[in-house]
């Protein structure tokens, strides 16, 4: 489905009701979406906010390990380019 939406001067988009219902956003008290840039476009998906205390410690450790591995790869790529 492709839809053209107007963008306000402040950068605000309003999703049509049928899209909000399809994503389940109309059923949430404070709906949020994740916006990810992909190949020059935007990808939107429903999101929820969780207190950190409710996220399993194993999940947090996995995120940290992934972030640290990505940072090491980034640093290594920078050293190869700098030479």
């Amino acid at each position: 489905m492709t839809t053209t939406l107007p963008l306000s001067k402040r950068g605000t988009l309003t999703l049509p009701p049928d899209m909000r219902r399809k994503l389940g956003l109309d059923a949430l008290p404070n709906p949020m979406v994740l916006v990810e840039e992909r190949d020059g476009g935007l990808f939107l998906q429903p999101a929820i906010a969780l207190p950190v205390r409710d996220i399993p410690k194993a999940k947090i450790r996995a995120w940290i390990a992934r972030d640290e591995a990505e940072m090491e790869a980034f640093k290594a790529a920078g050293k190869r380019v700098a030479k």
Side-chain angles (χ1 to χ4, degrees), residues 3-81:
T3 302
T4 302
L5 302 173
L7 183 66
S8 77
K9 290 180 182 180
R10 292 179 49 192
T12 303
L13 291 173
T14 300
L15 296 178
D18 57 330
M19 284 187 169
R20 293 193 306 263
R21 280 191 292 275
K22 188 173 182 179
L23 292 172
L25 297 171
D26 60 339
L28 301 173
N30 296 308
M32 293 188 296
V33 293
L34 291 172
V35 180
E36 182 179 343
E37 187 176 345
R38 291 187 184 176
D39 299 323
L42 299 176
F43 176 74
L44 281 70
Q45 63 184 8
I48 58 169
L50 287 176
V52 172
R53 69 176 177 268
D54 292 345
I55 301 172
K57 288 181 181 162
K59 177 69 109 178
I60 294 172
R61 284 192 293 272
W63 289 340
I64 292 169
R66 184 193 65 207
D67 289 348
E68 288 174 346
E70 287 176 357
M71 182 53 74
E72 289 302 317
F74 176 76
K75 288 178 183 176
K79 289 178 183 175
R80 285 192 296 259
V81 172

